[in-house]
Amino acid sequence: MAKLRRNRDEPVASAKSSDLGIAAAVATLTKPEPRAASGGPKRLGDVLQDRFAVSDATLHRALELQSDTGEALGAILVQFGEITPDQLLDALAEQFGLLRVDLRHTLPTGAALAAVSAEIAREFHCLPISLEEGTLTVVTSDPAFGLGDRMSARIGLPIRLQVSTRREIEQGLAANYRALAALGAQVASFEADLRVLPDVVDIFDRDQGDAPIVQAVDLLLTQAARDRASDIHLEMGEDTLRVRFRVDGALTEVATLPSRMAGPIASRVKIMAGMNIVEKRRPQDGQFAKVIDGHELDVRVASCGTVLGEKVIMRLLDKSKPALHLSDLGMSAGAFAKFSNAVRSPHGMVVCAGPTGSGKTTSLYASLRDIDSRARSVVTIEDPVEYVFPDITQIQVNDSAGVTFANGLRSILRQDPDVILVGEIRDEETARIAVQSSLTGHLVLSSLHGTDAVAALFRFFDMGIESYLVASSVLAIIGQRLLRRVCKDCQVSYELTVDERAFWQHANGDPDTQFVIGVGCNFCHETGYVDRIGIYEILEITPEVAEMISVQRPSRSDIRALAASQGMKTLRDEARRLVEEQITTVPEAIRAIHLL
């Protein structure tokens, strides 16, 4: 049977005081409140006045607006700023005489989850947390009249209601009702088929969606999409198939499957991606599209043979997510000003540098969002096209059709472009064409693999591009990383270890900084981190830097020292800033940038 592991990197919605998700808890109170009947629930307005001193005038104004718009009274008062979502939840708990539960540190029992199906839990937007003496305790954000009776009639058990925020319940539903819970049944069905047809290796029919292998692959894709995973790793061990998701840059093992399923699962994925299922030793690439929970995913597949069997990696790209603007990237004010100024230049080259998964493509797309494409011709060549801009010409690299970065870039130059985006500079030919394009009046945006901005500059030299051409064409190189954000729901004060203190001193950190770390909770799935933020260093090719590149034979430390003297904030400086602002932690900064 499948051995499932709980993924600790579930997505978590950010907590904002303006978030009106809790307002759904009073969605049924859409008419001016009647007088409470004797022995019945209190009126919400009375509770709010008693507990939070909401004035008669404010309550009267809210009731009038409620009568006109039909909006919930609590939501209106939150909009007015009279109460917070948490205060509204406290009032609802008092109104209905219910206990408030903190789901950050309350885990549902297996018996409670087994008593309520995922479909019913999501229909009623309730999370079952315990089953004691035949009574099921259920947490809701909407303690509407009759909710307990309706749910009791569906599941056949008496219900005890408690309340929590809508956000906490959504996180609880996502964490405890997982698509992978059904994976064990598919493994059992597969093994049953093996006993009936022991000579069949790849037991699935590509035309039948209910085959166990087909269902197993769909479950993996569904859970990965819900977990915001960027990659799925299918790795063959000696006697198991290990499944890992990469979420927020960190790999987490989510399931182990019998080794007999490795071949059929790899074949199923390769069929979906249009790859050769017979060839198991040579590396292959493919892609397919999949719609999950209403979101269109573009899945890139790469396979290669190993000593233990075939390894398959799937990269998930959610095309429904809008591209960010430069102002959304989280840059410091100084970095934003330099980056924004560079991408608004009429010609030259701007390069985003960093390792795989550092957010380079996101930065390039944000640059395109800030370029006026109505007055300028913008053409891109990418591999893959991750986000489609309706008013920009985008070209997909296709090696089988002979469309590479180099010859695609040549064809773009014949299309009268003003701005050219090259998804990645991988070789001398592409680098040389890009440099020449920037020297002939085009603005060229591109990405390049490198550990930091200065290292990316030397990559041009390593590829054979003359230093004087680089000095004349490149406007700025942006080195970047992504750091995980500390979970605000479980962060506590923290004392640095000896090694962490040494790093902090080497980074010129303020010794009086109050350090925090996430101790782990249900919202961050015990990791202490939720989501990520970028850090950026921008190497501007100033006249002094250009002269040093062209005339001298500088070392990396020489260029870095000159750039620092001209105001460049390094990745370490930016990481230190985020630590001081309690956005991330010293251990995360060490993990992401190490000795840079």
Side-chain angles (χ1 to χ4, degrees):
M1 295 294 289
K3 180 181 177 183
L4 302 182
R5 289 193 171 96
R6 179 176 174 181
N7 187 353
R8 296 185 171 185
D9 290 288
E10 292 282 355
V12 175
S14 60
K16 299 180 181 178
S17 61
S18 60
D19 180 12
L20 300 183
I22 187 60
V26 289
T28 57
L29 306 176
T30 56
K31 296 181 180 180
E33 294 185 296
R35 286 286 174 188
S38 177
K42 300 179 181 179
R43 296 188 310 169
L44 180 61
D46 292 338
V47 176
L48 291 172
Q49 284 188 308
D50 293 342
R51 292 201 60 175
F52 306 115
V54 176
S55 67
D56 288 336
T58 299
L59 186 60
H60 181 71
R61 184 160 57 98
L63 288 170
E64 286 183 340
L65 185 59
Q66 181 192 46
S67 180
D68 293 337
T69 65
E71 192 172 1
L73 175 64
I76 294 172
L77 291 171
V78 171
Q79 289 177 348
F80 285 175
E82 293 294 322
I83 57 174
T84 66
D86 278 346
Q87 289 173 333
L88 174 58
L89 186 66
D90 288 337
L92 286 167
E94 180 176 337
Q95 180 192 16
F96 289 94
L98 302 176
L99 178 67
R100 177 173 176 176
V101 179
D102 183 357
L103 290 179
R104 293 175 300 174
H105 306 291
T106 302
L107 286 175
T109 65
L113 294 172
V116 183
S117 68
E119 293 73 18
I120 293 177
R122 289 193 166 92
E123 176 186 343
F124 286 92
H125 200 266
C126 295
L127 180 67
I129 59 171
S130 66
L131 179 60
E132 298 175 351
E133 299 179 352
T135 299
L136 182 68
T137 301
V138 173
V139 183
T140 179
S141 64
D142 184 6
F145 299 98
L147 173 66
D149 293 337
R150 297 198 309 273
M151 192 169 182
S152 179
R154 288 288 297 276
I155 65 175
L157 288 172
I159 298 294
R160 179 189 299 114
L161 290 179
Q162 296 178 350
V163 294
S164 187
T165 66
R166 188 173 185 85
R167 171 184 173 235
E168 290 184 16
I169 291 172
E170 287 173 350
Q171 292 302 318
L173 290 172
N176 293 285
Y177 288 103
R178 296 175 60 79
L180 292 185
L183 193 56
Q186 301 306 324
V187 173
S189 179
F190 169 82
E191 292 181 331
D193 288 346
L194 270 183
R195 288 190 291 270
V196 175
L197 301 170
D199 296 330
V200 178
V201 178
D202 292 348
I203 303 179
F204 65 90
D205 187 331
R206 72 187 69 182
D207 297 321
Q208 295 183 2
D210 59 350
I213 292 299
V214 173
Q215 290 291 309
V217 172
D218 286 348
L219 289 172
L220 291 175
L221 288 168
T222 298
Q223 192 62 62
R226 291 175 180 175
D227 289 353
R228 298 181 301 110
S230 60
D231 301 89
I232 303 174
H233 288 230
L234 304 175
E235 301 164 328
M236 187 63 195
E238 291 186 359
D239 54 4
T240 60
L241 173 65
R242 182 168 65 162
V243 182
R244 296 196 290 173
F245 292 168
R246 186 180 295 279
V247 181
D248 289 340
L251 279 171
T252 303
E253 186 172 325
V254 296
T256 54
L257 304 174
S259 59
R260 293 186 297 273
M261 297 186 73
I265 285 180
S267 296
R268 171 60 183 169
V269 173
K270 290 165 72 174
I271 283 176
M272 297 172 70
M275 299 159 65
N276 184 354
I277 65 171
V278 177
E279 179 57 68
K280 300 181 182 298
R281 294 173 300 176
R282 295 180 181 176
Q284 295 187 69
D285 297 297
Q287 69 181 88
F288 63 90
K290 183 79 172 177
V291 177
I292 297 176
D293 295 337
H295 298 280
E296 182 182 356
L297 297 183
D298 184 23
V299 183
R300 305 286 164 147
V301 181
S303 69
C304 68
T306 72
V307 294
L308 295 177
E310 196 169 19
K311 178 175 180 177
V312 177
I313 307 295
M314 290 181 278
R315 168 152 290 187
L316 279 58
L317 305 173
D318 189 348
K319 290 192 171 184
S320 65
K321 291 183 178 179
L324 301 175
H325 289 276
L326 284 179
S327 57
D328 300 325
L329 296 181
M331 292 183 176
S332 64
F336 173 77
K338 292 179 180 179
F339 197 171
S340 180
N341 181 64
V343 299
R344 284 172 172 77
S345 174
H347 54 78
M349 181 183 292
V350 179
V351 179
C352 292
T356 300
S358 59
K360 299 186 296 295
T361 301
T362 299
S363 297
L364 291 176
Y365 279 163
S367 303
L368 292 182
R369 290 289 298 268
D370 281 36
I371 291 175
D372 185 3
S373 58
R374 294 169 298 178
R376 305 170 79 179
S377 172
V378 182
V379 185
T380 77
I381 180 163
E382 309 169 58
D383 184 22
V385 174
E386 296 185 17
Y387 181 81
V388 177
F389 294 85
D391 51 355
I392 288 176
T393 301
Q394 294 175 271
I395 300 172
Q396 171 79 50
V397 167
N398 188 336
D399 291 331
S400 60
V403 181
T404 65
F405 279 116
N407 59 32
L409 186 51
R410 286 195 187 93
S411 67
I412 288 174
L413 293 174
R414 295 191 289 270
Q415 297 175 16
D416 187 30
D418 296 303
V419 180
I420 302 171
L421 187 148
V422 182
E424 183 182 345
I425 294 177
R426 299 175 177 172
D427 51 51
E428 179 184 356
E429 184 180 15
T430 305
R432 192 169 293 280
I433 298 172
V435 166
Q436 292 171 350
S437 301
S438 66
L439 292 173
T440 54
H442 306 89
L443 175 62
V444 179
L445 309 175
S446 186
S447 71
L448 185 69
H449 280 87
T451 55
D452 57 32
V454 176
L457 179 66
F458 277 80
R459 279 289 310 280
F460 281 105
F461 305 152
D462 296 339
M463 285 188 287
I465 308 301
E466 292 80 1
S467 59
Y468 67 89
L469 290 178
V470 175
S472 302
S473 60
V474 177
L475 299 173
I477 300 178
I478 295 88
Q480 60 186 86
R481 289 288 193 283
L482 292 175
L483 271 62
R484 290 181 294 176
R485 295 174 182 264
V486 66
C487 176
K488 297 300 182 183
D489 292 297
C490 64
Q491 75 175 35
V492 296
S493 297
Y494 175 68
E495 290 294 330
L496 299 183
T497 65
V498 174
D499 291 342
E500 291 164 357
R501 180 68 63 182
F503 171 87
W504 189 247
Q505 292 173 348
H506 192 58
N508 297 319
D510 184 354
D512 296 328
T513 298
Q514 296 297 312
F515 303 100
V516 297
I517 197 168
V519 295
C521 66
N522 294 340
F523 283 4
C524 63
H525 299 276
E526 309 302 331
T527 65
Y529 299 98
V530 175
D531 209 353
R532 291 188 291 179
I533 186 173
I535 54 173
Y536 306 85
E537 66 176 17
I538 300 184
L539 172 63
E540 291 183 291
I541 308 302
T542 61
E544 294 78 13
V545 173
E547 181 180 358
M548 176 179 282
I549 294 172
S550 302
V551 178
Q552 306 175 29
R553 297 179 61 87
S555 65
R556 298 187 183 190
S557 58
D558 292 334
I559 295 179
R560 179 171 288 276
L562 176 57
S565 70
Q566 295 181 337
M568 182 184 81
K569 298 295 184 182
T570 66
L571 292 173
R572 178 178 291 175
D573 295 333
E574 291 296 284
R576 185 184 67 231
R577 175 179 63 86
L578 295 184
V579 170
E580 292 173 344
E581 295 175 2
Q582 298 186 342
I583 295 174
T584 191
T585 66
V586 172
E588 176 64 9
I590 294 174
R591 183 196 68 84
I593 64 175
H594 192 46
L595 297 177
L596 292 179

XYZ file of all heavy atoms in Angstrom, residues 504-571:
527
model
N 26.086 36.414 11.033
C 25.478 37.718 11.253
C 26.547 38.798 11.444
O 26.412 39.910 10.917
C 24.547 37.646 12.460
C 23.712 38.869 12.661
C 23.776 39.761 13.686
C 22.677 39.342 11.790
N 22.863 40.760 13.525
C 22.167 40.529 12.378
C 22.138 38.898 10.598
C 21.139 41.254 11.783
C 21.110 39.616 10.009
C 20.615 40.781 10.600
N 27.599 38.475 12.156
C 28.677 39.438 12.344
C 29.406 39.700 11.033
O 29.765 40.843 10.740
C 29.645 38.922 13.404
C 29.065 38.874 14.814
C 29.990 38.211 15.806
O 30.984 37.585 15.422
N 29.669 38.329 17.094
N 29.629 38.651 10.247
C 30.290 38.808 8.951
C 29.439 39.641 8.001
O 29.973 40.322 7.119
C 30.564 37.435 8.343
C 31.481 37.473 7.156
N 32.759 37.996 7.210
C 31.304 37.061 5.869
C 33.335 37.912 6.024
N 32.472 37.349 5.194
N 28.106 39.583 8.181
C 27.197 40.373 7.343
C 26.998 41.782 7.880
O 26.155 42.531 7.366
C 25.845 39.667 7.242
N 27.773 42.156 8.926
C 27.670 43.485 9.539
C 26.268 43.745 10.093
O 25.740 44.851 10.006
C 28.045 44.582 8.536
C 29.477 44.473 8.075
O 30.378 44.204 8.863
N 29.697 44.660 6.775
N 25.662 42.693 10.640
C 24.326 42.837 11.194
C 24.324 43.582 12.514
O 25.310 43.575 13.264
N 23.213 44.223 12.811
C 23.045 44.952 14.061
C 22.981 43.946 15.216
O 22.100 43.079 15.241
C 21.747 45.758 14.000
C 21.542 46.621 15.240
O 22.338 46.503 16.192
O 20.567 47.401 15.261
N 23.882 44.026 16.168
C 23.878 43.056 17.280
C 22.641 43.144 18.156
O 22.347 42.206 18.906
C 25.146 43.399 18.061
C 25.450 44.821 17.701
C 24.989 45.005 16.289
N 21.911 44.259 18.083
C 20.715 44.432 18.907
C 19.441 43.959 18.198
O 18.338 44.166 18.702
C 20.551 45.900 19.297
C 21.696 46.379 20.186
O 22.211 45.553 20.963
O 22.079 47.556 20.076
N 19.595 43.339 17.031
C 18.425 42.866 16.289
C 17.662 41.824 17.100
O 18.257 40.945 17.728
C 18.853 42.240 14.948
O 19.497 43.245 14.152
C 17.652 41.703 14.183
N 16.333 41.920 17.065
C 15.477 40.923 17.699
C 15.171 39.839 16.662
O 14.419 40.063 15.722
C 14.179 41.566 18.201
C 14.383 42.606 19.293
C 14.983 42.003 20.549
O 14.519 40.975 21.035
N 16.024 42.649 21.078
N 15.769 38.684 16.822
C 15.625 37.607 15.844
C 14.362 36.796 16.133
O 13.973 36.621 17.290
C 16.848 36.692 15.869
C 18.146 37.394 15.610
C 18.991 37.750 16.647
C 18.506 37.727 14.313
C 20.177 38.403 16.411
C 19.709 38.386 14.062
C 20.538 38.730 15.111
N 13.749 36.304 15.063
C 12.570 35.449 15.207
C 12.771 34.193 14.374
O 13.606 34.150 13.457
C 11.285 36.172 14.754
C 11.002 37.382 15.623
C 11.371 36.567 13.282
N 12.006 33.182 14.700
C 12.006 31.945 13.931
C 10.634 31.312 14.084
O 9.950 31.524 15.098
C 13.109 30.979 14.412
C 13.380 29.902 13.355
C 12.747 30.353 15.749
C 14.627 29.095 13.620
N 10.187 30.579 13.071
C 8.923 29.875 13.158
C 9.122 28.519 13.811
O 9.973 27.741 13.378
N 8.343 28.232 14.864
C 8.496 26.962 15.566
C 7.656 25.862 14.933
O 7.801 24.693 15.286
C 8.123 27.114 17.051
C 9.089 28.058 17.744
C 6.688 27.610 17.217
N 6.781 26.234 13.989
C 5.952 25.245 13.308
C 4.540 25.214 13.845
O 4.319 25.200 15.063
N 3.570 25.242 12.956
C 2.163 25.157 13.330
C 1.399 24.516 12.180
O 1.973 24.164 11.149
C 1.594 26.546 13.657
S 1.531 27.681 12.245
N 0.088 24.389 12.346
C -0.716 23.772 11.289
C -0.707 24.604 10.014
O -0.832 24.065 8.910
C -2.149 23.578 11.769
C -2.245 22.576 12.899
O -1.338 21.769 13.089
N -3.328 22.615 13.660
N -0.601 25.919 10.147
C -0.672 26.782 8.970
C 0.559 26.637 8.087
O 0.473 26.761 6.875
C -0.833 28.245 9.388
C -2.227 28.592 9.825
C -3.201 27.615 9.909
C -2.563 29.884 10.151
C -4.484 27.912 10.312
C -3.853 30.203 10.564
C -4.818 29.214 10.651
N 1.719 26.428 8.689
C 2.946 26.260 7.894
C 3.363 24.800 7.824
O 4.430 24.482 7.309
C 4.080 27.096 8.468
S 4.593 26.620 10.141
N 2.511 23.916 8.375
C 2.768 22.479 8.371
C 4.118 22.157 9.010
O 4.919 21.395 8.473
C 2.635 21.921 6.963
C 1.271 22.115 6.401
N 0.231 21.256 6.659
C 0.757 23.118 5.648
C -0.865 21.715 6.069
N -0.575 22.832 5.468
N 4.319 22.827 10.152
C 5.462 22.568 11.025
C 6.806 22.955 10.414
O 7.854 22.584 10.933
C 5.515 21.080 11.445
C 4.204 20.543 12.005
C 3.717 21.313 13.226
O 4.555 21.854 13.952
O 2.492 21.364 13.438
N 6.813 23.706 9.321
C 8.082 24.113 8.715
C 8.595 25.426 9.277
O 9.799 25.702 9.226
C 7.934 24.278 7.193
O 7.025 25.354 6.915
C 7.414 23.002 6.548
N 7.697 26.283 9.769
C 8.093 27.598 10.250
C 8.158 28.651 9.168
O 8.476 29.814 9.456
N 7.847 28.268 7.913
C 7.925 29.215 6.797
C 6.681 29.105 5.921
O 6.124 28.011 5.753
C 9.158 28.943 5.926
C 10.478 29.086 6.647
C 11.143 27.967 7.153
C 11.057 30.333 6.832
C 12.352 28.094 7.822
C 12.274 30.469 7.489
C 12.915 29.345 7.987
O 14.107 29.473 8.647
N 6.301 30.246 5.337
C 5.175 30.289 4.413
C 5.489 31.285 3.300
O 5.766 32.454 3.567
C 3.878 30.733 5.125
C 2.753 30.896 4.110
C 3.468 29.725 6.181
N 5.469 30.810 2.051
C 5.679 31.666 0.886
C 7.133 32.161 0.839
O 7.946 31.836 1.714
C 4.705 32.840 0.876
C 4.377 33.327 -0.529
O 5.001 32.837 -1.487
O 3.494 34.180 -0.677
N 7.444 32.957 -0.203
C 8.816 33.429 -0.394
C 8.842 34.897 -0.812
O 7.846 35.450 -1.266
C 9.541 32.580 -1.453
C 9.828 31.172 -1.011
C 10.693 30.429 -1.994
N 10.023 30.135 -3.251
C 10.596 29.514 -4.273
N 11.862 29.148 -4.201
N 9.920 29.260 -5.377
N 10.008 35.514 -0.667
C 10.224 36.900 -1.074
C 11.600 36.986 -1.730
O 12.516 36.231 -1.377
C 10.121 37.855 0.136
C 10.191 39.319 -0.317
C 11.209 37.541 1.167
C 9.918 40.315 0.799
N 11.746 37.889 -2.681
C 13.002 38.010 -3.406
C 13.966 38.986 -2.749
O 13.572 39.951 -2.096
N 15.270 38.702 -2.930
C 16.306 39.671 -2.592
C 17.120 39.905 -3.865
O 17.311 38.993 -4.674
C 17.218 39.201 -1.439
C 17.831 37.822 -1.741
C 16.452 39.176 -0.136
C 18.865 37.389 -0.725
N 17.600 41.134 -4.036
C 18.207 41.538 -5.300
C 19.449 42.381 -5.056
O 19.477 43.233 -4.161
C 17.202 42.366 -6.125
C 15.877 41.679 -6.330
C 14.868 41.777 -5.368
C 15.632 40.922 -7.472
C 13.655 41.143 -5.542
C 14.416 40.288 -7.651
C 13.438 40.396 -6.688
O 12.234 39.749 -6.859
N 20.487 42.130 -5.872
C 21.631 43.037 -5.940
C 21.757 43.488 -7.398
O 21.630 42.679 -8.319
C 22.911 42.368 -5.459
C 23.415 41.223 -6.315
C 24.751 40.675 -5.824
O 25.118 40.956 -4.677
O 25.409 39.954 -6.606
N 21.957 44.763 -7.590
C 21.961 45.317 -8.950
C 23.331 45.924 -9.236
O 23.731 46.920 -8.627
C 20.849 46.364 -9.119
C 19.496 45.692 -8.852
C 20.888 46.962 -10.517
C 18.308 46.593 -9.069
N 24.035 45.275 -10.171
C 25.333 45.767 -10.619
C 25.112 46.669 -11.828
O 24.833 46.203 -12.932
C 26.244 44.596 -10.996
C 27.579 44.960 -11.658
C 28.451 45.785 -10.706
C 28.311 43.713 -12.123
N 25.198 47.981 -11.606
C 25.078 48.929 -12.704
C 26.435 49.055 -13.412
O 27.472 49.184 -12.759
C 24.649 50.295 -12.186
C 23.234 50.360 -11.657
C 22.866 51.766 -11.236
O 23.423 52.241 -10.222
O 22.047 52.400 -11.921
N 26.420 49.034 -14.726
C 27.662 49.214 -15.488
C 27.870 50.720 -15.656
O 27.530 51.314 -16.681
C 27.609 48.488 -16.838
C 27.207 47.026 -16.623
C 28.972 48.556 -17.517
C 28.132 46.256 -15.695
N 28.384 51.328 -14.607
C 28.666 52.759 -14.623
C 29.918 53.007 -15.473
O 30.642 52.070 -15.831
C 28.913 53.252 -13.197
O 30.060 52.566 -12.661
C 27.703 52.970 -12.301
N 30.229 54.269 -15.813
C 31.452 54.550 -16.574
C 32.705 53.992 -15.896
O 33.618 53.506 -16.575
C 31.477 56.079 -16.642
C 30.027 56.467 -16.591
C 29.396 55.475 -15.675
N 32.751 54.044 -14.569
C 33.921 53.536 -13.856
C 34.017 52.011 -13.962
O 35.100 51.454 -14.175
C 33.858 53.944 -12.383
C 33.972 55.444 -12.127
C 32.672 56.194 -12.412
O 31.621 55.513 -12.558
O 32.706 57.431 -12.491
N 32.865 51.333 -13.833
C 32.867 49.881 -13.968
C 33.203 49.486 -15.404
O 33.979 48.555 -15.646
C 31.501 49.295 -13.548
C 31.440 47.798 -13.851
C 31.241 49.542 -12.065
N 32.625 50.212 -16.385
C 32.908 49.916 -17.794
C 34.390 50.096 -18.115
O 34.985 49.290 -18.841
C 32.057 50.828 -18.690
N 34.996 51.131 -17.548
C 36.418 51.363 -17.791
C 37.259 50.250 -17.171
O 38.212 49.763 -17.791
C 36.832 52.714 -17.219
C 38.309 53.043 -17.462
C 38.710 54.391 -16.896
O 37.831 55.091 -16.352
O 39.900 54.743 -16.984
N 36.898 49.833 -15.979
C 37.647 48.761 -15.338
C 37.541 47.468 -16.160
O 38.533 46.748 -16.341
C 37.111 48.518 -13.919
C 37.767 47.341 -13.209
S 37.157 47.075 -11.521
C 38.053 48.385 -10.673
N 36.365 47.194 -16.705
C 36.177 45.977 -17.502
C 36.974 46.043 -18.794
O 37.626 45.073 -19.199
C 34.677 45.764 -17.806
C 33.890 45.468 -16.531
C 34.489 44.625 -18.802
C 32.393 45.450 -16.734
N 36.933 47.202 -19.447
C 37.512 47.323 -20.786
C 39.035 47.437 -20.759
O 39.722 46.849 -21.606
C 36.929 48.549 -21.495
O 35.529 48.475 -21.587
N 39.581 48.211 -19.812
C 41.002 48.547 -19.820
C 41.819 47.595 -18.964
O 42.906 47.156 -19.364
C 41.210 50.004 -19.348
C 42.690 50.342 -19.311
C 40.441 50.967 -20.252
N 41.321 47.278 -17.797
C 42.074 46.446 -16.873
C 41.669 44.977 -17.021
O 40.816 44.633 -17.814
C 41.809 46.906 -15.430
C 42.086 48.386 -15.200
C 41.696 48.825 -13.802
O 41.719 48.040 -12.864
N 41.357 50.103 -13.658
N 42.297 44.136 -16.262
C 41.896 42.740 -16.158
C 41.484 42.504 -14.702
O 42.225 41.899 -13.921
C 43.035 41.811 -16.562
C 43.452 41.968 -18.013
C 44.595 41.043 -18.367
N 44.255 39.626 -18.208
C 43.670 38.903 -19.161
N 43.353 39.471 -20.329
N 43.407 37.635 -18.953
N 40.303 42.999 -14.341
C 39.921 42.980 -12.924
C 39.505 41.587 -12.459
O 39.052 40.743 -13.249
C 38.733 43.946 -12.878
C 38.105 43.797 -14.228
C 39.244 43.589 -15.187
N 39.631 41.350 -11.172
C 39.101 40.140 -10.559
C 37.657 40.404 -10.131
O 37.191 41.547 -10.149
C 39.931 39.742 -9.343
O 39.819 40.736 -8.326
N 36.987 39.364 -9.742
C 35.608 39.538 -9.287
C 35.555 40.422 -8.051
O 34.641 41.250 -7.906
C 34.982 38.173 -8.987
C 34.906 37.264 -10.201
C 34.121 36.002 -9.906
N 34.105 35.107 -11.064
C 33.352 34.035 -11.175
N 32.550 33.706 -10.180
N 33.411 33.281 -12.251
N 36.521 40.251 -7.159
C 36.528 41.062 -5.940
C 36.778 42.532 -6.250
O 36.245 43.421 -5.568
C 37.576 40.544 -4.959
O 38.864 40.553 -5.545
N 37.563 42.825 -7.294
C 37.800 44.219 -7.683
C 36.494 44.879 -8.133
O 36.187 46.003 -7.726
C 38.824 44.282 -8.816
C 40.229 43.858 -8.373
O 40.509 43.996 -7.163
O 40.999 43.402 -9.230
N 35.757 44.188 -8.998
C 34.501 44.755 -9.506
C 33.487 44.880 -8.371
O 32.775 45.888 -8.261
C 33.952 43.891 -10.645
C 34.906 43.933 -11.840
C 32.561 44.364 -11.061
C 34.463 43.083 -13.016
N 33.425 43.868 -7.508
C 32.476 43.920 -6.401
C 32.812 45.076 -5.458
O 31.902 45.775 -4.986
C 32.485 42.585 -5.658
C 31.543 42.529 -4.468
C 31.441 41.122 -3.910
N 30.692 40.270 -4.822
C 29.362 40.199 -4.843
N 28.647 40.942 -4.000
N 28.749 39.410 -5.683
N 34.088 45.293 -5.205
C 34.486 46.387 -4.313
C 34.124 47.742 -4.918
O 33.635 48.641 -4.225
C 35.979 46.311 -4.026
N 34.360 47.895 -6.227
C 34.020 49.157 -6.890
C 32.516 49.384 -6.878
O 32.053 50.504 -6.579
C 34.544 49.140 -8.329
C 34.177 50.359 -9.194
C 34.666 51.656 -8.545
C 34.742 50.208 -10.606
N 31.736 48.340 -7.191
C 30.277 48.486 -7.200
C 29.758 48.819 -5.804
O 28.850 49.653 -5.650
C 29.633 47.204 -7.722
N 30.322 48.190 -4.781
C 29.894 48.469 -3.414
C 30.194 49.906 -3.031
O 29.405 50.569 -2.347
C 30.566 47.500 -2.440
N 31.336 50.409 -3.486
C 31.684 51.800 -3.186
C 30.748 52.776 -3.877
O 30.608 53.928 -3.444
C 33.136 52.080 -3.602
O 33.268 52.078 -5.015
N 30.097 52.309 -4.960
C 29.146 53.164 -5.683
C 27.707 52.926 -5.229
O 26.775 53.420 -5.860
C 29.274 52.912 -7.185
C 30.625 53.335 -7.755
C 30.734 53.095 -9.244
O 30.040 52.263 -9.822
N 31.627 53.837 -9.891
N 27.527 52.168 -4.149
C 26.192 52.039 -3.563
C 25.465 50.747 -3.837
O 24.273 50.637 -3.500
N 26.116 49.742 -4.429
C 25.425 48.479 -4.677
C 25.165 47.748 -3.371
O 26.081 47.519 -2.586
C 26.234 47.584 -5.618
C 25.523 46.272 -5.956
S 26.490 45.130 -6.985
C 27.551 44.381 -5.737
N 23.918 47.387 -3.129
C 23.555 46.570 -1.985
C 23.634 45.106 -2.411
O 22.989 44.691 -3.364
C 22.134 46.890 -1.512
C 21.954 48.326 -1.032
C 22.789 48.599 0.218
C 22.526 50.009 0.741
N 23.363 50.317 1.929
N 24.429 44.333 -1.707
C 24.642 42.942 -2.087
C 23.480 42.066 -1.613
O 22.616 42.500 -0.837
C 25.944 42.416 -1.482
O 25.809 42.377 -0.053
C 27.118 43.304 -1.871
N 23.486 40.819 -2.083
C 22.475 39.870 -1.629
C 22.523 39.704 -0.113
O 21.483 39.594 0.543
C 22.684 38.510 -2.311
C 22.405 38.453 -3.818
C 22.815 37.089 -4.370
C 20.938 38.731 -4.117
